[in-house]
Amino acid sequence: MLYAIISEDVTDSLGKRQQARPAHLERLSALQDEGRLLLAGPHPAIDSEDPGPAGFSGSLIVAEFPSQEAAQAWADADPYVASGVYAKVTVKPFKKVFP
């Protein structure tokens, strides 16, 4: 089943994001290689493709996992969690309707 992993950043997370980004992307690449990643990306803190120093306010990942517990465990092990980028992470079942 698909699960949405909705994360909210701490204030001024950009420096922490930049440090943990390679490890974060490595995990997402592994999901993609396994054919389990539907989409992933950050929420810019301002209305811009490149928010510059404003940084990001959170992230959204939609991926396939065998259970909500497995999705939560994967989310809890994210380098952004370990490095203090995320203040909150919510995992919810997701039903793709379109496209």
Side-chain angles (χ1 to χ4, degrees):
M1 181 167 184
L2 292 173
Y3 294 89
I5 302 170
I6 306 150
S7 305
E8 298 175 30
D9 282 23
V10 298
T11 303
D12 298 322
S13 63
L14 188 57
K16 292 177 182 179
R17 269 184 172 268
Q18 290 169 332
Q19 285 185 315
R21 189 169 190 259
H24 174 76
L25 293 179
E26 185 176 321
R27 295 179 82 235
L28 289 171
S29 293
L31 280 181
Q32 185 175 27
D33 291 347
E34 295 167 6
R36 298 171 42 205
L37 182 64
L38 184 64
L39 64 90
H43 301 286
I46 59 174
D47 189 11
S48 174
E49 281 278 326
D50 180 3
F56 300 93
S57 63
S59 302
L60 171 64
I61 298 167
V62 179
E64 184 179 346
F65 292 92
S67 67
Q68 187 164 354
E69 292 77 18
Q72 185 70 58
W74 187 91
D76 290 345
D78 193 294
Y80 281 177
V81 171
S83 65
V85 171
Y86 292 151
K88 179 180 177 184
V89 178
T90 304
V91 177
K92 296 181 177 186
F94 181 81
K95 181 179 177 183
K96 182 180 174 195
V97 177
F98 291 104

